[in-house]
Short mmCIF file of all heavy atoms in Angstrom, two decimals:
data_model
loop_
_atom_site.label_atom_id
_atom_site.label_comp_id
_atom_site.label_asym_id
_atom_site.label_seq_id
_atom_site.Cartn_x
_atom_site.Cartn_y
_atom_site.Cartn_z
N SER A 237 57.53 35.91 -19.87
CA SER A 237 56.18 35.38 -19.68
C SER A 237 55.75 35.52 -18.23
O SER A 237 56.36 34.93 -17.34
CB SER A 237 56.14 33.90 -20.09
OG SER A 237 56.43 33.74 -21.46
N LEU A 238 54.71 36.31 -17.99
CA LEU A 238 54.22 36.54 -16.64
C LEU A 238 52.71 36.31 -16.58
O LEU A 238 52.00 36.64 -17.54
CB LEU A 238 54.50 37.99 -16.20
CG LEU A 238 55.96 38.46 -16.19
CD1 LEU A 238 56.02 39.93 -15.84
CD2 LEU A 238 56.78 37.64 -15.21
N THR A 239 52.25 35.78 -15.48
CA THR A 239 50.81 35.71 -15.23
C THR A 239 50.40 37.07 -14.68
O THR A 239 50.20 37.28 -13.49
CB THR A 239 50.49 34.59 -14.22
OG1 THR A 239 51.13 33.38 -14.65
CG2 THR A 239 48.99 34.35 -14.13
N ARG A 240 50.27 38.02 -15.61
CA ARG A 240 50.14 39.43 -15.24
C ARG A 240 49.70 40.21 -16.47
O ARG A 240 49.69 39.70 -17.59
CB ARG A 240 51.51 39.93 -14.76
CG ARG A 240 51.51 41.25 -14.02
CD ARG A 240 51.10 41.09 -12.58
NE ARG A 240 51.27 42.35 -11.84
CZ ARG A 240 51.20 42.45 -10.54
NH1 ARG A 240 50.97 41.37 -9.81
NH2 ARG A 240 51.33 43.62 -9.94
N ASP A 241 49.36 41.46 -16.28
CA ASP A 241 49.14 42.37 -17.40
C ASP A 241 50.37 42.31 -18.31
O ASP A 241 51.50 42.50 -17.84
CB ASP A 241 48.95 43.79 -16.85
CG ASP A 241 48.66 44.82 -17.94
OD1 ASP A 241 48.99 44.58 -19.12
OD2 ASP A 241 48.12 45.89 -17.59
N PRO A 242 50.20 42.01 -19.60
CA PRO A 242 51.37 41.87 -20.46
C PRO A 242 52.24 43.12 -20.56
O PRO A 242 53.41 43.03 -20.94
CB PRO A 242 50.77 41.50 -21.82
CG PRO A 242 49.33 41.86 -21.74
CD PRO A 242 48.95 41.72 -20.31
N VAL A 243 51.71 44.29 -20.21
CA VAL A 243 52.54 45.49 -20.18
C VAL A 243 53.71 45.30 -19.22
O VAL A 243 54.82 45.79 -19.46
CB VAL A 243 51.70 46.72 -19.79
CG1 VAL A 243 52.60 47.92 -19.49
CG2 VAL A 243 50.73 47.08 -20.92
N GLU A 244 53.48 44.55 -18.14
CA GLU A 244 54.56 44.29 -17.19
C GLU A 244 55.67 43.48 -17.84
O GLU A 244 56.86 43.62 -17.47
CB GLU A 244 54.01 43.54 -15.96
CG GLU A 244 52.89 44.24 -15.23
CD GLU A 244 53.35 45.46 -14.46
OE1 GLU A 244 54.56 45.75 -14.46
OE2 GLU A 244 52.50 46.13 -13.85
N GLU A 245 55.33 42.62 -18.80
CA GLU A 245 56.35 41.84 -19.49
C GLU A 245 57.32 42.75 -20.24
O GLU A 245 58.53 42.50 -20.26
CB GLU A 245 55.69 40.86 -20.47
CG GLU A 245 54.77 39.86 -19.81
CD GLU A 245 54.15 38.88 -20.79
OE1 GLU A 245 54.32 39.05 -22.01
OE2 GLU A 245 53.50 37.93 -20.32
N ILE A 246 56.79 43.80 -20.83
CA ILE A 246 57.62 44.73 -21.58
C ILE A 246 58.51 45.53 -20.63
O ILE A 246 59.70 45.76 -20.90
CB ILE A 246 56.75 45.67 -22.44
CG1 ILE A 246 55.86 44.85 -23.39
CG2 ILE A 246 57.61 46.63 -23.23
CD1 ILE A 246 56.62 43.91 -24.31
N ARG A 247 57.93 45.96 -19.52
CA ARG A 247 58.72 46.72 -18.54
C ARG A 247 59.90 45.89 -18.05
O ARG A 247 61.03 46.38 -17.99
CB ARG A 247 57.83 47.13 -17.37
CG ARG A 247 56.72 48.10 -17.73
CD ARG A 247 55.73 48.29 -16.60
NE ARG A 247 56.34 48.93 -15.44
CZ ARG A 247 55.68 49.15 -14.30
NH1 ARG A 247 54.42 48.77 -14.17
NH2 ARG A 247 56.29 49.74 -13.29
N VAL A 248 59.64 44.63 -17.71
CA VAL A 248 60.72 43.76 -17.24
C VAL A 248 61.73 43.52 -18.35
O VAL A 248 62.95 43.53 -18.13
CB VAL A 248 60.15 42.42 -16.72
CG1 VAL A 248 61.28 41.45 -16.37
CG2 VAL A 248 59.26 42.65 -15.50
N GLY A 249 61.24 43.31 -19.57
CA GLY A 249 62.13 43.03 -20.69
C GLY A 249 63.13 44.13 -20.96
O GLY A 249 64.34 43.87 -21.12
N PHE A 250 62.67 45.36 -20.98
CA PHE A 250 63.60 46.46 -21.25
C PHE A 250 64.52 46.74 -20.08
O PHE A 250 65.68 47.15 -20.28
CB PHE A 250 62.82 47.71 -21.67
CG PHE A 250 62.52 47.73 -23.12
CD1 PHE A 250 61.24 47.45 -23.57
CD2 PHE A 250 63.49 48.00 -24.06
CE1 PHE A 250 60.94 47.44 -24.93
CE2 PHE A 250 63.21 47.99 -25.41
CZ PHE A 250 61.92 47.71 -25.85
N GLU A 251 64.04 46.51 -18.85
CA GLU A 251 64.94 46.67 -17.71
C GLU A 251 66.03 45.60 -17.72
O GLU A 251 67.18 45.86 -17.33
CB GLU A 251 64.16 46.61 -16.39
CG GLU A 251 63.32 47.85 -16.12
CD GLU A 251 64.16 49.13 -16.10
OE1 GLU A 251 65.30 49.12 -15.60
OE2 GLU A 251 63.66 50.15 -16.63
N LEU A 252 65.69 44.41 -18.19
CA LEU A 252 66.69 43.35 -18.32
C LEU A 252 67.77 43.77 -19.32
O LEU A 252 68.97 43.63 -19.05
CB LEU A 252 66.01 42.05 -18.76
CG LEU A 252 66.92 40.87 -19.08
CD1 LEU A 252 67.78 40.51 -17.88
CD2 LEU A 252 66.10 39.67 -19.53
N LEU A 253 67.34 44.26 -20.47
CA LEU A 253 68.31 44.71 -21.48
C LEU A 253 69.15 45.88 -20.96
O LEU A 253 70.36 45.95 -21.21
CB LEU A 253 67.58 45.11 -22.76
CG LEU A 253 66.91 43.98 -23.54
CD1 LEU A 253 66.18 44.54 -24.75
CD2 LEU A 253 67.94 42.94 -24.01
N ARG A 254 68.51 46.79 -20.23
CA ARG A 254 69.24 47.94 -19.69
C ARG A 254 70.31 47.47 -18.69
O ARG A 254 71.43 47.98 -18.68
CB ARG A 254 68.27 48.90 -19.00
CG ARG A 254 68.92 50.23 -18.59
CD ARG A 254 68.08 50.95 -17.53
NE ARG A 254 66.73 51.22 -17.95
CZ ARG A 254 66.34 52.29 -18.66
NH1 ARG A 254 67.23 53.19 -19.02
NH2 ARG A 254 65.07 52.46 -18.98
N SER A 255 69.94 46.51 -17.84
CA SER A 255 70.87 46.05 -16.81
C SER A 255 72.12 45.43 -17.41
O SER A 255 73.19 45.44 -16.80
CB SER A 255 70.18 45.05 -15.88
OG SER A 255 69.93 43.82 -16.53
N LEU A 256 71.99 44.85 -18.62
CA LEU A 256 73.13 44.24 -19.31
C LEU A 256 73.80 45.22 -20.27
O LEU A 256 74.74 44.85 -20.96
CB LEU A 256 72.66 43.00 -20.07
CG LEU A 256 72.19 41.83 -19.21
CD1 LEU A 256 71.52 40.77 -20.07
CD2 LEU A 256 73.35 41.22 -18.45
N ARG A 257 73.29 46.44 -20.32
CA ARG A 257 73.79 47.48 -21.22
C ARG A 257 73.74 47.04 -22.68
O ARG A 257 74.62 47.35 -23.49
CB ARG A 257 75.22 47.88 -20.84
CG ARG A 257 75.32 48.50 -19.45
CD ARG A 257 76.71 48.98 -19.14
NE ARG A 257 76.76 49.55 -17.79
CZ ARG A 257 77.87 50.02 -17.23
NH1 ARG A 257 79.01 50.00 -17.90
NH2 ARG A 257 77.84 50.50 -16.00
N ILE A 258 72.68 46.29 -22.99
CA ILE A 258 72.46 45.86 -24.37
C ILE A 258 71.62 46.88 -25.13
O ILE A 258 71.95 47.27 -26.25
CB ILE A 258 71.76 44.48 -24.40
CG1 ILE A 258 72.69 43.41 -23.83
CG2 ILE A 258 71.34 44.11 -25.83
CD1 ILE A 258 72.03 42.05 -23.67
N ARG A 259 70.53 47.32 -24.50
CA ARG A 259 69.66 48.34 -25.09
C ARG A 259 69.09 49.20 -23.98
O ARG A 259 68.89 48.71 -22.86
CB ARG A 259 68.49 47.71 -25.86
CG ARG A 259 68.83 47.02 -27.15
CD ARG A 259 67.56 46.57 -27.87
NE ARG A 259 66.74 47.70 -28.29
CZ ARG A 259 65.52 47.58 -28.82
NH1 ARG A 259 64.97 46.38 -28.97
NH2 ARG A 259 64.84 48.63 -29.20
N GLU A 260 68.81 50.43 -24.30
CA GLU A 260 68.10 51.29 -23.37
C GLU A 260 66.91 51.90 -24.07
O GLU A 260 67.00 52.28 -25.23
CB GLU A 260 69.01 52.41 -22.84
CG GLU A 260 70.10 51.90 -21.91
CD GLU A 260 70.79 53.01 -21.17
OE1 GLU A 260 70.26 54.14 -21.19
OE2 GLU A 260 71.85 52.76 -20.58
N ARG A 261 65.80 51.95 -23.36
CA ARG A 261 64.61 52.61 -23.88
C ARG A 261 64.03 53.49 -22.80
O ARG A 261 63.63 53.01 -21.74
CB ARG A 261 63.55 51.60 -24.34
CG ARG A 261 62.30 52.29 -24.90
CD ARG A 261 61.17 51.33 -25.11
NE ARG A 261 60.02 52.03 -25.69
CZ ARG A 261 59.09 52.67 -24.97
NH1 ARG A 261 59.20 52.71 -23.66
NH2 ARG A 261 58.09 53.28 -25.58
N GLY A 262 64.02 54.78 -23.02
CA GLY A 262 63.40 55.69 -22.08
C GLY A 262 64.23 55.87 -20.82
O GLY A 262 65.35 55.40 -20.70
N PRO A 263 63.66 56.56 -19.83
CA PRO A 263 64.39 56.89 -18.61
C PRO A 263 64.67 55.66 -17.74
O PRO A 263 63.97 54.65 -17.79
CB PRO A 263 63.43 57.85 -17.88
CG PRO A 263 62.48 58.33 -18.92
CD PRO A 263 62.33 57.20 -19.89
N GLU A 264 65.71 55.81 -16.92
CA GLU A 264 66.03 54.81 -15.90
C GLU A 264 65.56 55.34 -14.55
O GLU A 264 65.84 56.48 -14.19
CB GLU A 264 67.53 54.56 -15.86
CG GLU A 264 67.96 53.60 -14.76
CD GLU A 264 69.45 53.41 -14.69
OE1 GLU A 264 70.17 54.08 -15.46
OE2 GLU A 264 69.91 52.63 -13.84
#
Side-chain angles (χ1 to χ4, degrees):
S237 297
L238 302 175
T239 310
R240 194 80 173 191
D241 182 338
V243 169
E244 303 288 358
E245 299 181 353
I246 303 303
R247 295 170 65 183
V248 174
F250 275 104
E251 287 303 321
L252 175 58
L253 292 177
R254 189 199 302 275
S255 70
L256 293 169
R257 297 184 181 178
I258 294 173
R259 289 186 65 187
E260 290 193 13
R261 180 190 182 274
E264 176 183 3

